[in-house]
Structure formats: structure tokens, C-alpha cells
Amino acid sequence: MPPSRGILAVATRSSTGLPKSQWDVLPFRPAQPASFSTTACLAASGPPRKGKKAIRNLKAARQSAGRPPAPGERKALRKRVVLSNTNALEVSGLEDLDAKAIGKESSRCQMFGLPGPVVDSLRAVEAFKPTQGWRMFRSASVLWREQSIRLAQIMTDLAKLKSPETRRMVLAGEKGTGKSVMLLQAMAIAFMKKWIVINIPDAKDLTNAHTEYAPVPGTSPQQYIQRSYVANFLAQIAKANAGVLSQLQLSMQHDLSIPVQSNISLDRFADLGAKDLDLAWPIFLSLWAELTGPGRPPILFTLDNLNFIMRHSEYLGRDLKPVHAHDLSLVRHFVDHLSGARTLPNGGLVMAATTGSNKPSSPILDLAIRQSEARIQGLTGEAVPQWDPYRPGDERSLQSMADLEVFDIKGLSRDEARGILEYYAASGMLRQAVDQRLVAEKWTISGGGIIGELERGALRMRP
Amino acid sequence: MKGYESLHSFYSPLRISTRPISRRRCFQGPRHTRPFSSSTRAAIAAPEIQFDGDASGRASLLQRARIVPASPSYFTAKPEFTDSLLNLQALLRKYEALPVLAPGHAPRVAWKTHAQFMLTSTEPVRVARYSRILKVLHRLNYIHPSLMPEEVAEAMQVYKRDVNPYDKVKQPVIIDQSGRARGLGRRKTSSAVAWVVEGDGEVMVNGKSLSQAFGRIHDRESAIWPLKVTDRVDRYNIWALVKGGGTTGQAEAMTLAVANGLMVHEPDLKPTLRRAGCVTRDARMVERKKHGKLKARKMPAWVKR
């Protein structure tokens, strides 16, 4: 701060006695009275110096970047699933999954490539999720872990039974444990075993009110169908199971509003519904009747993000009250099979996976999982957790979740972690020697072999 | 100052004999007459003084005698201090021949600071003066403890602080019956307690897994950093309770807690852990906000009016 504040001008003389200049004028600044207040603004320094650029408004200067994205373009980019990466190394000695290896104990801790047709089918049923790390490797491969072998054995045993049986299970576990990939593995097994795979890829799409809905007349409680979703669903079923369905023909009379060729193959029959929104739901019901008719293959009926259907949906009913997710016809169809109200006459497996991320609160589901765990431990009576009778609860969800088998998915073992880390290294994505030290470190950092965290720690957060 | 010195030296025992006898008597006389009413010492002492005057008609002693100071140090202006110093020096002279400890091995004693000494003293004593007392005390403290005379110990006790901080011995942390070692760590406003036990690399933080407790991988690495740098990730299990502060603070508090627990199991790792920054508590805290500023240092923007 200049000491000459308030002084207009001073004359200075050089040592020679001559004026250095006529008047060296100092900038005038009015004396600022000393303020009693100590507020922050008074302590501010002076105005910005001359020659110093003022802060430009960057937002105003931003140019528009040409063509705006077309409707749906950004969503398509967001939902894009990339299953191969040409920059990743090809893993030598990686075998493709085959029907013989899947149930063997020797397959444990090994990586298997998914065969091409299976990948196509899995892609058609949206079994691959954009958040999973498929894009980092040359080809889609899966780790065959202990639960995978158990699952394969369950499915093999189901197919062998003389009297068909419907097995129902829920995959539960914390975020990143591989529940969705376990569903994918079940679907891959089913495709290889020529089962019919029907997959609801994300239950959230059904309940978050992003797709149209319409009431079904004459139902109580009021039911709702989602025509466009079901049409797309039928197209997925037809495409994914084309190999099986094209060999199967219509065998029953169905009361439909259009004439249908009597010996039409089932994939073409499904396509009929995919093309016509009005026909989608009736054709789905007819197709289901066909698939559960005598002499048909077993069915794998799966749903991911179960939490979203164990609560009220985002849809509003006529009375402006939220519609319970179980009143949506397709959801109800799945829940009936999951709860055991309906069975699969030709046998099969009904599976649902809970979600760990973006998890909506569903206390009923949490309770059902804890009850199932208690049952597995052999607890009975009061030791099994019960719903607090004074707490308002969702009775329908509770009933549908009673008596369910819960497949609790935990972290990988160290051997399994080593198997997948070696695969990362062989793909050139992990540039470290895979030894006991690295395995131990990654296993601990990933919270005990949580595979999603393992991938994050080893691949995405590379040092 | 010079006069003060001379006064002092005047009464020092060495020079006392060089002074005129008359002065000496003047001060020593009253000492001898102190037990005024003592009759038991009649055999060895002078006859008792008759204060009421004797038969010769002279005035009483009380009327005749000058009032004399109790201590010859009286005229030093700091009699209490001088007496104390002389007393200690006398003690030192008396016990100078006793065996002493090796240099640097004397028991650590916190002597009273000058300020603390001044609280007990009624006289103003300069720091330099007090340091002379301390110098004698340091020498006395070197006398071998097994031969420390009682009177020296008592004399030194006066100058010791009430609480000796060096007596406080840090309790050695031990591994308990279950094989657990407890470690404590702090960072910013977080504090962590970790129980380290031999195991296979499992970590629980506040009842949650490491990945659930710390979302950032960097924080997870901080939490198990002592194990990682010593290559012991798969040899110990950790069960920790962390509270306070934010995630980074909690993770870095765990670093210290785990390192402390680990050092109980393997004390030889301390140098390695120190080099890895797992031993020293980071003392940095948030800088306080000041008035007239928007934050600790941020200045407000200039406004024209």
C-alpha cells in the first residue's frame, strides 16, 4: 500500500538538483476510513491491476458443436455393449466353454471363452451389461468359479429328472460379486443344453414408468400390460432361441385376432407378436402355453435387478395411487413362477438376481434373504427372522418371497482370483507378474475377492 | 552487580577468615546466644543472659544487643537462595568421593523450571543464578543410587517437579491370549483402533469389508499399507474400528493403527515401517478460519462499491 494515500502529487528532484520530471503524479486514491467492522469485503485488496486480463465468461464464448445428437443416440451409446478389443492380446490356450467341462471340478478357477453362437444369443437377450468389463478383452470369457460348477450341476440334474421339476432361486450378494454374470453363465449353460432362455434383462425398465402401460379390462386387482416392452421382449426371445424355436411348431389352437398358420414355427410366431403391439401380450401368453406344452424343452426364466419388482412401481393407477409392481402383467407372470404359484411343466429353472448398485430399498426382499440364510443354517422357530407385525409392509412381496432358495454369492477364493488375474495378465491388461504377493494384495484390496472390485483395482485403476 | 558479588563473596566460607575479626564476631555472636533459655547446655555454653539487667546495674541485654539476622546471607539480599546454594555445595563437598554413574546414565529427573522455582521462592532470582543450583543438582544426581545418602535425596527432592514425566514408562503393548495385538492411530480428526492377528489377509472395518468401508481404492491401499510394504498382506487379519473425520482421514488413521499392531508382532519391522511413513503421526490439522478472510487464507474479491 503506498504511504502517500490521498496525496495528489509530489515533486521529486534528482541528485543533480534538477527536476526528474515535472511532476511524478501518483494515482489518487481516496482515503478509506478505518472501519470498525471486520467484515470480509473490507479486507479485500484493490481493484485488478491494469493490463491484467479480466476473467472471461467461458460459458458464453463456447461454440455450439454442430449437429445435436439425434433422439436416442446418446442412450444407444450409453447402452452399447462392446465384446471385443483388438488391442488386447489373444489368450493362448483359452478353451471355449463346452457342455462337458461345465460341471467338472477340474474346470474350477479356469477361464473359458464363450462360443460364438452362445455370445450371439446372450447378446440378443441382453445378458451382457455395459458396465461389465467385456470391452477390455479380445473375446468374451468367463471365470468358472465354484458357484458356476454348482449351478451347472443343478441344471444338469434338472434335465436328467424323469418327472420334471421347477427349481427356483435368487442370487444375492453384495455389489460387484458377479450376480449378473452368474445369471449370464446360467443362460450360457442353458443355450448350450438347448433349453429355452427367457430373460428379463433389467426389472427396472419394467417399473420405472419409462415404457407405456395400459389397463387390462375386467381384472381385479387391476392389471396392466406394457405392450411395447412385451413386443421387444418377444423379438428378443425369438432371436436368442431361434435355433430351438425354429424346430418347434405351433401345436394348439389360440384365440387370436389374426389368422395364424397352423404349423408356424414358434420363432416366427413370436415375431408376429413383436411386430404388432396390440398382439404382443396375447401372443406372449399363447407362446408361453406352447412352450409349457407337452414335449417341449426345459425353460430358464431369469430376471435381473429383482429389488425393483418387490415394491411399488413408478406407474400410477386410475386412483392416482402407485401401481404395485406385481400388478404389471409381465412382472406378475415372472413372480408367479418365482414364488412357485405356477410351475414349468417341462422342468426348468427360475432365477432372479438382486442388485447391489443403485439399490432401491426393499425391506421385504432383505428379510426374505435373511430368512433363507437362516433356513440354510438349519434354524427354526423364533430364530428365523420374522416381519415386525407393527411395521407396515408389502404383504404381496412377502408372500411371493416365502420359501425361496437363496444362492448367496461371496467373493472369489484366492485360487479363483489367481485364475482371473492370470487371464488379465495374459490379455496384456495387467502388466505385473502374477505371483502370490500380487494375488494376496489384490484379493485383500478387493474386499475379499469381490470380482467387480478386483477388476477395478487391477484393470481400471492401473498405476 | 559488582557490589552484590563482593557481598556474597564476603560471606563465602573461603574468605570469611580473611575478614577482620571484629566483623566476624559481630555476626557469629548471636548464633551462639540463640538458645537464650537453654539451661541444659550450661556446662558447655556461656552462662545464661539475664535480660532484666544484672546486679551491676547495666541495662539488659535485650536493650543493649543489636538485632542481628539469622543467616549471614542476610546481606546478600537473596539470603534464601544463597543459603540453598551453599547448602547444596556443602553437601556436594561432603559426598564428593562417593562413586558416580557413567556419564549419561544418571536417572532422568525433571527439575523445577525457573518459573516453577520462583513460585516457591520469596526472592527474585535470575535464571543464571538458578542454573548454578541446577549445576550442583546435576552433579549430585550422578551419585550412585545404591549409595545415595538420605540427606542428599531429601535436598534434591525440593528441586524436583511434583510429577516426574520421565517416571511414566510407556506400557509395552503385548499380544493377548487370542493372539491379537492392538494398535491405535490418528489422522486429522479420525481415530482408528486395529486388532492385528495372524491370519490370511482378511480385513474388517467397522463390521464391513474393506471394499464396503472404503469406496476409493487408494483409501483401501492406505488402510493396509503397513502390510503391503512389509509384504505381509496374506499373513495377518485386521479387525478395526474407525471413527471421526472423513474417509481419507479414517484410512490414514488405520495406517498408523495397523502399523502399531504389526510392530507388536514383529518389532524388527519398525525401520521399514518408518521409511514407509507408517510410524509418525501426521500432525497437520485444518487451519482455522480468520476474520476478514473467506477461509483460512482466501481473500475476498474486490468490489468497486
Side-chain angles (χ1 to χ4, degrees):
Chain A
M1 182 160 294
S4 55
R5 175 186 269 197
I7 299 172
L8 263 174
V10 289
T12 52
R13 279 178 181 277
S14 64
S15 54
T16 56
L18 293 169
K20 205 166 74 180
S21 63
Q22 264 207 323
W23 293 99
D24 276 355
V25 180
L26 293 176
F28 173 74
R29 289 179 72 185
Q32 196 174 16
S35 173
F36 175 73
S37 168
T38 56
T39 51
C41 66
L42 287 177
S45 56
R49 290 192 306 276
K50 272 188 179 175
K52 194 182 172 187
K53 276 186 183 175
I55 302 162
R56 281 184 301 134
N57 189 349
L58 293 172
K59 275 187 181 172
R62 192 177 291 163
Q63 299 288 318
S64 62
R67 181 184 63 89
E73 192 180 320
R74 279 182 296 197
K75 184 177 184 183
L77 203 65
R78 200 171 70 237
K79 298 279 179 189
R80 190 173 55 138
V81 174
V82 180
L83 291 183
S84 85
N85 174 10
T86 48
N87 291 322
L89 300 178
E90 193 141 16
V91 180
S92 61
L94 182 73
E95 292 170 19
D96 268 3
L97 200 60
D98 64 351
K100 286 178 189 167
I102 52 175
K104 281 185 188 164
E105 191 59 33
S106 60
S107 310
R108 199 169 149 259
C109 312
Q110 277 190 41
M111 292 294 294
F112 287 103
L114 294 169
V118 173
V119 169
D120 292 343
S121 297
L122 290 173
R123 194 193 262 279
V125 290
E126 289 184 40
F128 299 107
K129 300 286 160 65
T131 51
Q132 294 161 351
W134 307 105
R135 71 182 62 189
M136 285 189 270
F137 304 99
R138 180 59 78 96
S139 61
S141 317
V142 285
L143 174 73
W144 219 245
R145 53 201 278 194
E146 196 190 336
Q147 282 102 333
S148 317
I149 296 170
R150 247 178 78 198
L151 191 62
Q153 284 167 351
I154 287 171
M155 292 175 74
T156 311
D157 293 347
L158 274 175
K160 281 180 190 165
L161 288 175
K162 283 180 183 168
S163 59
E165 195 182 300
T166 309
R167 191 96 179 237
R168 300 170 289 120
M169 59 170 68
V170 168
L171 304 178
E174 69 176 86
K175 181 185 172 186
T177 41
K179 302 175 291 292
S180 296
V181 174
M182 192 61 67
L183 273 189
L184 179 140
Q185 292 183 348
M187 283 184 251
I189 296 168
F191 280 123
M192 289 194 301
K193 287 181 175 296
K194 308 285 182 201
W195 286 23
I196 293 162
V197 177
I198 295 173
N199 179 38
I200 299 173
D202 189 352
K204 189 170 80 172
D205 292 343
L206 281 168
T207 58
N208 66 357
H210 286 199
T211 183
E212 60 169 282
Y213 71 123
V216 181
T219 49
S220 177
Q222 182 70 63
Q223 304 286 298
Y224 298 86
I225 55 168
Q226 290 150 300
R227 297 184 312 163
S228 55
Y229 187 93
V230 175
N232 184 41
F233 187 51
L234 280 173
Q236 285 184 4
I237 293 170
K239 191 178 175 195
N241 300 289
V244 181
L245 294 186
S246 59
Q247 306 298 318
L248 304 176
Q249 290 176 348
L250 213 61
S251 62
M252 301 176 192
Q253 288 291 322
H254 300 288
D255 184 20
L256 295 169
S257 58
I258 54 160
V260 179
Q261 187 189 332
S262 62
N263 62 349
I264 190 172
S265 67
L266 290 187
D267 61 330
R268 281 183 56 218
F269 182 60
D271 275 336
L272 285 181
K275 282 169 191 152
D276 191 341
L277 294 188
D278 286 336
L279 280 173
W281 182 247
I283 286 194
F284 175 75
L285 291 179
S286 308
L287 180 69
W288 191 264
E290 288 287 343
L291 293 177
T292 51
R296 305 294 195 190
I299 293 176
L300 174 68
F301 195 9
T302 57
L303 176 138
D304 204 352
N305 300 353
L306 178 69
N307 309 49
F308 284 92
I309 59 168
M310 290 299 164
R311 62 208 294 267
H312 280 88
S313 73
E314 299 294 320
Y315 290 108
L316 289 181
R318 280 184 179 144
D319 49 0
L320 291 180
K321 284 182 181 158
V323 174
H324 195 278
H326 291 191
D327 287 335
L328 303 168
S329 296
L330 185 57
V331 172
R332 189 188 185 85
H333 186 77
F334 180 81
V335 169
D336 281 350
H337 286 88
L338 186 70
S339 63
R342 293 171 70 183
T343 55
L344 303 169
N346 302 313
L349 186 58
V350 182
M351 281 177 92
T354 60
T355 174
S357 54
N358 183 24
K359 188 175 167 185
S361 77
S362 180
I364 298 285
L365 182 63
D366 297 340
L367 175 76
I369 290 168
R370 277 187 284 127
Q371 281 179 340
S372 175
E373 279 167 356
R375 262 184 262 120
I376 289 167
Q377 287 169 13
L379 302 177
T380 50
E382 289 186 358
V384 178
Q386 295 296 324
W387 185 257
D388 176 6
Y390 293 102
R391 190 178 170 192
D394 183 0
E395 197 64 34
R396 299 171 72 179
S397 300
L398 189 60
Q399 281 172 5
S400 68
M401 292 294 293
D403 188 29
L404 257 180
E405 184 183 355
V406 173
F407 215 65
D408 198 5
I409 299 186
K410 299 232 163 54
L412 300 178
S413 69
R414 277 192 186 70
D415 296 340
E416 290 163 350
R418 177 183 275 272
I420 197 149
L421 284 172
E422 280 172 353
Y423 172 74
Y424 292 161
S427 297
M429 300 304 289
L430 176 68
R431 291 176 197 172
Q432 276 165 287
V434 180
D435 52 6
Q436 193 211 347
R437 183 181 176 171
L438 181 86
V439 174
E441 183 207 322
K442 296 291 180 198
W443 187 87
T444 301
I445 294 265
S446 62
I450 305 298
I451 190 165
E453 297 293 342
L454 199 66
E455 183 191 280
R456 196 172 146 221
L459 302 183
R460 293 176 196 243
M461 302 274 174
R462 276 196 293 179
Chain B
M1 193 65 206
K2 192 148 191 188
Y4 186 90
E5 279 294 329
S6 61
L7 251 179
H8 181 79
S9 59
F10 174 70
Y11 287 108
S12 72
L14 284 175
R15 301 205 35 201
I16 220 161
S17 57
T18 64
R19 290 284 119 186
I21 290 173
S22 59
R23 292 295 296 274
R24 188 178 164 198
R25 190 174 292 155
C26 167
F27 288 106
Q28 297 214 332
R31 270 196 197 165
H32 294 169
T33 56
R34 201 178 285 159
F36 291 117
S37 58
S38 164
S39 55
T40 53
R41 300 181 64 204
I44 55 166
E48 287 189 27
I49 296 164
Q50 302 296 317
F51 286 104
D52 299 333
D54 53 8
S56 61
R58 293 173 66 189
S60 67
L61 182 59
L62 195 62
Q63 287 162 337
R64 279 184 292 124
R66 288 187 295 127
I67 296 174
V68 288
S71 161
S73 307
Y74 177 77
F75 293 104
T76 62
K78 311 240 188 280
E80 220 176 272
F81 167 77
T82 313
D83 279 345
S84 309
L85 180 62
L86 291 178
N87 191 18
L88 287 172
Q89 282 173 337
L91 276 176
L92 178 59
R93 213 177 306 112
K94 186 175 175 185
Y95 295 111
E96 212 163 17
L98 286 180
V100 292
L101 295 163
H105 286 78
R108 290 192 81 182
V109 177
W111 304 108
K112 279 178 182 166
T113 61
H114 178 256
Q116 286 168 332
F117 175 73
M118 290 305 292
L119 289 176
T120 59
S121 165
T122 55
E123 304 161 351
V125 178
R126 293 175 187 225
V127 178
R129 304 263 124 188
Y130 182 57
S131 67
R132 292 183 64 178
I133 287 188
L134 286 183
K135 199 174 170 188
V136 181
L137 286 171
H138 284 149
R139 171 62 184 78
L140 288 173
N141 194 34
Y142 263 96
I143 297 175
H144 199 283
S146 61
L147 300 168
M148 179 68 79
E150 186 76 11
E151 58 177 329
V152 176
E154 278 174 19
M156 288 201 300
Q157 188 59 41
V158 176
Y159 298 96
K160 287 180 180 174
R161 280 188 220 163
D162 294 340
V163 178
N164 184 9
Y166 304 117
D167 285 348
K168 191 181 172 190
V169 183
K170 198 181 172 189
Q171 290 284 329
V173 189
I174 48 163
I175 303 173
D176 70 4
Q177 289 177 334
S178 312
R180 299 170 298 189
R182 183 178 176 276
L184 178 74
R186 293 200 178 89
R187 170 84 172 94
K188 295 200 208 174
T189 53
S190 310
S191 69
V193 185
W195 280 267
V196 180
V197 64
E198 284 184 26
D200 55 359
E202 287 178 31
V203 182
M204 286 277 262
V205 182
N206 291 349
K208 291 180 276 190
S209 73
L210 192 58
S211 61
Q212 285 174 326
F214 297 114
R216 284 178 74 211
I217 287 180
H218 188 280
D219 287 343
R220 293 180 210 160
E221 282 186 342
S222 297
I224 62 155
W225 186 245
L227 299 178
K228 194 179 165 185
V229 288
T230 52
D231 196 9
R232 275 157 177 75
V233 175
D234 54 346
R235 292 204 220 156
Y236 291 97
N237 286 354
I238 294 165
W239 194 92
L241 293 175
V242 196
K243 62 181 178 183
T247 48
T248 306
Q250 291 193 341
E252 290 177 12
M254 261 195 78
T255 309
L256 262 65
V258 171
N260 284 335
L262 183 60
M263 279 191 289
V264 176
H265 284 279
E266 298 182 60
D268 292 348
L269 293 178
K270 189 166 184 176
T272 316
L273 291 171
R274 184 176 287 289
R275 282 194 296 277
C278 304
V279 175
T280 310
R281 199 251 203 243
D282 191 341
R284 289 174 296 173
M285 300 290 272
V286 171
E287 188 177 337
R288 66 151 290 182
K289 185 198 176 296
K290 285 92 178 174
H291 61 257
K293 304 215 171 188
L294 298 177
K295 303 201 291 181
R297 304 199 179 175
K298 186 183 181 185
M299 289 299 286
W302 183 79
V303 191
K304 196 171 182 185
R305 261 178 291 276

